[in-house]
Amino acid sequence: MMNKACIAMILAGGQGSRLGVLTKRVAKPAVPFGGKYRIIDFTLSNCANSGLDTVGVLTQYQPLALNTYIGIGSSWDLDRKHGGVTVLPPFVRENGGEWYKGTANAVYQNIDFIEAHNPEHVLILSGDHIYKMDYAAMLTYHKQRQARATIAVIQVPWEEASRFGIMNVDDQNKIVEFDEKPANPRSNLASMGVYIFNWPILKQYLEADEADPSSSNDFGKNVIPKMLASENDLYAYPYSGYWKDVGTLDSLWEANMDLLAEKPSLDLHERNWRIYSVNPTQPPHFLADQSIIQDSLINEGCIVYGLVDHSVIFPGVRIGKNSKIHDSVLMPNVTIGENVIVSKAIIGSNAIIEEDCHIGQGDPGDEQELTVVAEGAHIKSRSKIATTAQV
Amino acid sequence: MKDVMGIINLVEPAELLKDLTNHRTLGAVPIGGRYRLIDFVLSNMVNAGLRNVGIFVQEQYRALMDHLGTGREWDLNRQRDGLFILPPDYRGEERNSGDIEILHRHYDYFERSRQDTVIMAGTSMVCNIDYQKALAYHDEKNADITVIYHKSRGPSNLSTIFSLNSDQKVTGIQVNPLHAKEDNVSMKMYIMSKQLLMELVDLCLCRGETDFVKDGLIKNLSQLNIYGYCFNGYVASINSLQAYYKHSMELLDPNIWEELFFRSGLIYTKVKNEAPAQYGHKAKVSNCLVANGCMIDGTVENSILFRGVRIQKGVHIKGSILMQRSEIKENAMLEGVILDKDVVITEGKHLLGDPGYPLVIGKKTVL
C-alpha cells in the first residue's frame, strides 16, 4: 500500500484553449464529462482508489470553479487529518512572485509543500486525462526496478504517434530515447504524462531546470530529456486500457460517445474502481409517456418528453415534447424547448434553446461537423445554429 | 434557526408495510428511486435551518444508521449540535411499547440541548414542507402546541383526526377512528417548547402512560392551547403497503415530482457515486422514474427504478417498483410487483401482482 512514501501532484492549471467556448470560464480539468463528472474526477478518483492520501492540485487558469468543486476533497475521501487534498495556486513571496511558467516550474514553486510531507516518491499527474489506473501498481513496478523515474506509456496507433511524446525502450522497458512529437516515430509507446520520481532526484533536476534560463520549464520538453541524458534507470510502465487526452472539442465529443458503446472500454459501473464526483442533489430522472431513449446516458434530475438517441445527458436537463437529440452532449441544466432538433452538438451548461430551433449542421446520420453552444447561451426560437458557430 | 431543535420519532407502527419492514425500521424504507422515508423529514428540518436533530430509534435500526452515517449529507456533521442517533437503553427491564418511555430515556439530551423550541415528527408523512412558516404560525397563535395537518378524505382507520374550531384551535383528537367525521388528518408533526415536551413526557411516565398523542395530548387537551396548522402541499401518508405503492406511482406525475423534490428545498440522501443511467439499443422506457447506476436494455413502463437496477433484453416491466441493485434477466415479465433490494429474477420468469395488492419479493431473493 501507498502511504506518505508517495504523494501526488496534479497539474490542473491549463487553459485548454482548444476547447474553445467550453473553457472560457473554467480550466480544462473542470470541464464536464460523461454525463456526471468533471475531467479531473478521473485523476482524483484514481488517487483515492490507489490509496494515495496526499494530493496537491496545481491551479492557475480560471481556478474558481475548480477550487469550489474540489473543496476539502471529501467527495474523493481526501479530507484527511494528515495530508488530504491541497489546492496550490501560484503565490507571492518575499521578493515577488510569478505565474507558473511551465509544468516543471509549477512543481518547483511548490517544493515547500512537497518537503513538508517528506515523501520518498512523487507522482506527477495531469488533471485533464480520462482513464482509470492503479498508481500503486505503478509504484511497485518503479520500486522493483529500482528506477530513478518511471513514465507510464500507452500504445497509440502508428499514424497518430507523431502527435505524442514517444518513448523508445529496450526489451526490459528501460527507456533509451525520448522523442517529443517525432516526424518519423520509431515506436508507438506514447507518454501518458504520468511520472513517478524519487523525490531527492526530482528536486535536484527541478532546481537545475530552474537555473537554466533557456529551459521552458516543462517535464516533457526539458526535465525528462535531461534526465535521460545523464541517468540510467528510467523505465516505461506499459498501460493498456482506455486513456484519452480530451484536448480538442472533437476528442471531447468522441470520448463522450465512447461511453455509449454496448460494452464501453471505460467501465463507469465498476464497483471496485468507482469514479467519485461531487453529487448534485437531484431526484431520479423522469421519462414521460411519449419519450424515446436509446443508446444513451442520462443523469438524475432530468425531465425528458422527447427523443434521446446516442447522447450523453448531464443532471437537471429538460427536453421538451417532440424534440430530438442525436449524437450530442447536453451539459448540466440545459433547457431544450419543444420541436427542437439537436444533432452532433455539445451544449454548454445552463444554455437555453427555445422551441423550433435546429442545432447542428445536418440531419441525424449525415456526415457533419460538431456544433458547440456556449455555457449559458440563450438561443431564441426558430434559430438555426450550425457547425462553426460556437455561440 | 439556532433556537429550534428537531426530534424524529421512529416509534412508529412499522409492521404496516409487511415485508418491507421485516428487517428495517419504517424510516429506512426506500422510496422514490433513491431515498429513504426519513430523508424527507430530515431534509425539511435542515432546510428550515435546524442544526440539532435527535433521532429516537426503537428497533431494527442498523440500515438506518448506515444510511445516516455522520449526517454529512444533511450538513449535520457539526462541531456543535448536529445529528444524534438515540437508541433505546434497556437495562434488563421489561420494555413498554410507545414513545413516552424512549423519549424519557434520553431526558439528558433535551436538558443538554440549548434550543428552546422543538419540532417533533415521524417519518411516515412524505412531503416537502417549509417549517419556517409553521414556526411563524406557532408564534403568531401563541400556541402551547401546534399540530400540522392536511385535508384528506379517505380511510381514517390508520390516521389521527383533529376537530378544530373556527380559530383553528384543536377541540378534539381521535386516533385511528373507523369513521371520522372530519378530514383534518394529522401529519404527526408537532411544534412546542422543549420545556412543555419534557413536562408532558415526565407527566405521562409517572402516571404509567406510554403514548405521546393518546396520553400526552388527548388527556391534557383541556389544559393546553393546541392549534392546527394546515399544510396545503402534496402529502403521501405511508401507512400501508397499498399506500406505499399508490403514492410511489404518484411520483410519476411531473407536477408532484417537481413539488416533492424541489419546492421548499432540496431532499438530501446518502450519495452512492453511481454512473448515469445507461440505456441500451433495445431500451423502451416510458413514464418512469430512473435513478443513476441503472443499465436498461428492455421495456419498462409506469415504474420506478432505484439505483443500480439491471434490466436485460426482452424484459417487460409494468407498474412495478424495483429497489436498489435488482437484476432482471432476459425475457422476464413483471407487473404490479415491488422488489426489495438485491433481488434477482431469472430468465423468463413471469410475476404478476395487483395495484390493490402489490406482490412484494423480499430482500436478496433469487427467483
Side-chain angles (χ1 to χ4, degrees):
Chain A
M1 275 306 287
M2 286 189 169
N3 48 38
K4 291 300 147 56
C6 184
I7 73 170
M9 299 292 274
I10 301 179
L11 302 160
Q15 177 179 359
S17 53
R18 285 173 302 161
L19 290 180
V21 290
L22 295 181
T23 49
K24 216 168 169 177
R25 285 186 216 141
V26 297
K28 183 171 153 192
V31 168
F33 175 79
K36 167 160 194 175
Y37 312 96
R38 293 186 188 255
I39 294 171
I40 199 171
D41 284 330
F42 290 84
T43 310
L44 285 171
S45 300
N46 287 341
C47 286
N49 288 326
S50 301
L52 278 161
D53 63 9
T54 307
V55 178
V57 180
L58 301 134
T59 61
Q60 176 156 287
Y61 172 79
Q62 286 284 21
L64 177 64
L66 199 54
N67 289 353
T68 314
Y69 187 72
I70 293 172
I72 58 165
S74 46
S75 292
W76 304 270
D77 264 351
L78 288 170
D79 49 336
R80 301 298 181 93
K81 278 207 162 50
H82 305 288
V85 69
T86 309
V87 175
L88 301 166
F91 55 94
V92 174
R93 293 167 177 76
E94 207 175 6
N95 48 359
E98 56 181 351
W99 296 107
Y100 293 152
K101 291 180 286 181
T103 52
N105 174 258
V107 177
Y108 171 82
Q109 291 202 38
N110 286 288
I111 282 180
D112 283 352
F113 169 80
I114 299 172
E115 297 268 88
H117 295 286
N118 193 26
E120 276 173 62
H121 300 97
V122 174
L123 172 65
I124 306 288
L125 302 165
S126 295
D128 48 11
H129 296 157
I130 309 278
Y131 66 117
K132 298 201 283 191
M133 184 176 181
D134 184 358
Y135 305 133
M138 182 174 168
L139 182 63
T140 307
Y141 176 99
H142 173 85
K143 284 181 186 161
Q144 274 168 353
R145 279 162 186 71
Q146 300 185 320
R148 309 279 272 178
T150 300
I151 301 173
V153 295
I154 185 166
Q155 287 198 344
V156 294
W158 278 97
E159 61 272 22
E160 288 179 28
S162 48
R163 285 176 36 218
F164 293 94
I166 294 296
M167 304 287 162
N168 300 321
V169 300
D170 69 10
D171 54 0
Q172 300 296 309
N173 280 328
K174 192 185 265 196
I175 300 168
V176 292
E177 204 179 1
F178 173 77
D179 283 338
E180 181 71 18
K181 297 184 181 154
N184 300 303
R186 278 178 293 147
S187 140
N188 66 340
L189 293 177
S191 165
M192 296 165 64
V194 174
Y195 314 104
I196 293 179
F197 295 100
N198 293 355
W199 171 237
I201 298 166
L202 176 63
K203 188 180 172 193
Q204 192 186 312
Y205 275 92
L206 288 176
E207 281 166 349
D209 178 67
E210 191 59 22
D212 175 1
S214 67
S215 172
S216 51
N217 309 110
D218 185 87
F219 275 101
K221 279 190 211 129
N222 309 104
V223 176
I224 302 293
K226 253 184 228 151
M227 279 186 98
L228 267 172
S230 51
E231 300 278 345
N232 255 329
D233 298 308
L234 272 69
Y235 281 86
Y237 175 71
Y239 169 84
S240 59
Y242 188 90
W243 177 81
K244 197 134 189 163
D245 176 2
V246 284
T248 63
L249 286 166
D250 282 316
S251 67
L252 178 67
W253 178 83
E254 271 170 34
N256 275 287
M257 295 300 122
D258 286 345
L259 298 172
L260 304 176
E262 193 170 357
K263 290 240 179 318
S265 42
L266 181 72
D267 179 8
L268 296 175
H269 295 274
E270 195 182 336
R271 294 209 193 275
N272 297 328
W273 205 271
R274 284 196 195 272
I275 305 304
Y276 300 102
S277 62
V278 176
N279 286 269
T281 301
Q282 297 271 11
H285 60 257
F286 174 70
L287 306 180
D289 246 341
Q290 61 272 45
S291 68
I292 300 170
I293 319 287
Q294 56 184 16
D295 299 321
S296 293
L297 289 183
I298 302 190
N299 204 328
E300 290 168 337
C302 297
I303 294 196
V304 183
Y305 289 96
L307 176 147
V308 179
D309 168 43
H310 201 253
S311 294
V312 174
I313 314 292
F314 282 76
V317 170
R318 308 281 161 122
I319 299 172
K321 286 181 185 133
N322 295 319
S323 287
K324 298 183 173 68
I325 315 295
H326 295 274
D327 308 312
S328 294
V329 178
L330 272 52
M331 289 184 175
N333 306 315
V334 165
T335 304
I336 306 277
E338 298 184 1
N339 301 311
V340 171
I341 295 177
V342 179
S343 178
K344 195 171 178 183
I346 298 178
I347 315 264
S349 309
N350 305 313
I352 297 170
I353 316 283
E354 291 186 1
E355 69 278 6
D356 303 311
C357 285
H358 191 134
I359 311 293
Q361 198 179 35
D363 288 314
D366 294 356
E367 264 307 302
Q368 50 186 321
E369 304 278 307
L370 182 67
T371 300
V372 180
V373 174
E375 179 182 346
H378 191 137
I379 311 292
K380 299 281 181 210
S381 57
R382 285 185 284 287
S383 305
K384 265 180 97 77
I385 307 290
T387 314
T388 46
Q390 293 190 4
V391 196
Chain B
M1 278 293 137
K2 248 173 55 196
D3 51 356
V4 184
M5 63 189 283
I7 297 293
I8 297 179
N9 179 355
L10 284 168
V11 184
E12 298 175 284
E15 67 282 0
L16 297 171
L17 293 197
K18 296 178 186 160
D19 291 351
L20 296 182
T21 41
N22 266 347
H23 51 87
R24 54 167 85 91
T25 176
L26 185 67
V29 169
I31 191 161
R34 64 194 288 268
Y35 304 93
R36 293 182 189 253
L37 285 177
I38 197 169
D39 292 338
F40 291 88
V41 59
L42 190 54
S43 300
N44 288 334
M45 286 180 173
V46 168
N47 288 337
L50 275 62
R51 290 293 171 265
N52 179 6
V53 180
I55 301 187
F56 287 74
V57 295
Q58 194 172 39
E59 50 195 5
Q60 304 273 37
Y61 51 84
R62 187 198 56 78
L64 187 85
M65 296 201 27
D66 174 49
H67 180 71
L68 295 172
T70 58
R72 183 163 104 180
E73 306 298 348
W74 296 267
D75 261 355
L76 286 174
N77 52 339
R78 302 289 99 202
Q79 304 269 9
R80 192 163 185 200
D81 294 335
L83 182 76
F84 297 86
I85 299 175
L86 304 163
D89 171 27
Y90 298 114
R91 290 160 222 160
E93 311 141 52
E94 204 173 313
R95 23 192 285 204
N96 289 320
S97 56
D99 43 13
I100 288 295
E101 182 181 359
I102 193 160
L103 288 168
H104 197 269
R105 293 268 176 195
H106 295 286
Y107 224 65
D108 264 7
Y109 167 65
F110 291 106
E111 275 173 349
R112 273 196 215 160
S113 297
R114 62 203 161 112
Q115 290 80 5
D116 302 322
T117 305
V118 175
I119 301 178
M120 184 162 80
T123 60
S124 64
M125 295 286 168
V126 173
C127 64
N128 192 333
I129 183 173
D130 183 353
Y131 281 134
Q132 294 270 19
K133 288 188 185 149
L135 284 161
Y137 177 91
H138 178 72
D139 286 344
E140 183 196 311
K141 288 283 179 191
N142 205 10
D144 292 327
I145 301 177
T146 296
V147 293
I148 303 178
Y149 71 94
H150 71 122
K151 291 277 187 188
S152 169
R153 279 266 171 229
S156 60
N157 59 323
L158 296 169
S159 302
T160 299
I161 309 290
F162 297 127
S163 308
L164 302 164
N165 72 11
S166 58
D167 191 34
Q168 293 288 95
K169 188 164 186 245
V170 176
T171 54
I173 304 174
Q174 291 175 290
V175 177
N176 303 343
L178 271 182
H179 303 287
K181 284 193 224 84
E182 273 128 332
D183 59 351
N184 307 314
V185 176
S186 169
M187 290 172 64
K188 298 172 183 171
M189 299 167 177
Y190 313 94
I191 300 172
M192 70 203 104
S193 72
K194 183 177 78 179
Q195 194 56 39
L196 178 61
L197 175 63
M198 290 170 73
E199 280 169 24
L200 286 174
V201 165
D202 193 45
L203 184 68
C204 288
L205 194 90
C206 59
R207 286 192 198 150
E209 296 166 344
T210 56
D211 189 89
F212 176 74
V213 176
K214 286 181 188 162
D215 302 315
L217 298 190
I218 295 179
K219 289 185 182 164
N220 298 304
L221 191 56
S222 57
Q223 289 114 62
L224 294 168
N225 275 321
I226 306 182
Y227 282 87
Y229 172 79
C230 186
F231 175 66
N232 294 316
Y234 174 80
V235 180
S237 169
I238 310 297
N239 54 15
S240 68
L241 196 58
Q242 285 72 19
Y244 174 83
Y245 180 84
K246 174 178 160 259
H247 290 304
S248 291
M249 290 300 149
E250 282 170 359
L251 299 179
L252 299 176
D253 174 344
N255 296 320
I256 291 179
W257 181 88
E258 194 97 27
E259 174 178 341
L260 194 57
F261 294 117
F262 295 101
R263 198 165 84 165
S264 304
L266 299 173
I267 306 300
Y268 304 96
T269 190
K270 186 180 177 184
V271 154
K272 299 272 187 201
N273 284 292
E274 294 275 8
Q278 187 177 338
Y279 292 86
H281 198 62
K282 295 252 163 61
K284 261 188 82 181
V285 183
S286 64
N287 202 34
C288 281
L289 211 54
V290 182
N292 275 355
C294 289
M295 293 171 87
I296 303 168
D297 216 4
T299 303
V300 192
E301 304 163 52
N302 309 326
S303 295
I304 294 175
L305 307 184
F306 281 67
R307 293 185 277 205
V309 168
R310 305 289 155 101
I311 293 173
Q312 296 188 353
K313 291 190 182 79
V315 167
H316 198 135
I317 295 174
K318 274 162 99 171
S320 295
I321 299 168
L322 276 58
M323 291 186 191
Q324 218 175 309
R325 291 190 302 273
S326 310
E327 205 175 330
I328 319 300
K329 308 249 167 141
E330 287 185 23
N331 302 318
M333 278 175 75
L334 310 181
E335 187 174 348
V337 173
I338 299 174
L339 302 186
D340 206 330
K341 287 166 73 173
D342 297 300
V343 167
V344 179
I345 305 293
T346 54
E347 284 160 36
K349 282 276 177 330
H350 289 207
L351 299 180
L352 184 64
D354 186 86
Y357 201 90
L359 177 63
V360 180
I361 310 292
K363 195 172 165 182
K364 291 188 179 155
T365 307
V366 179
L367 265 186

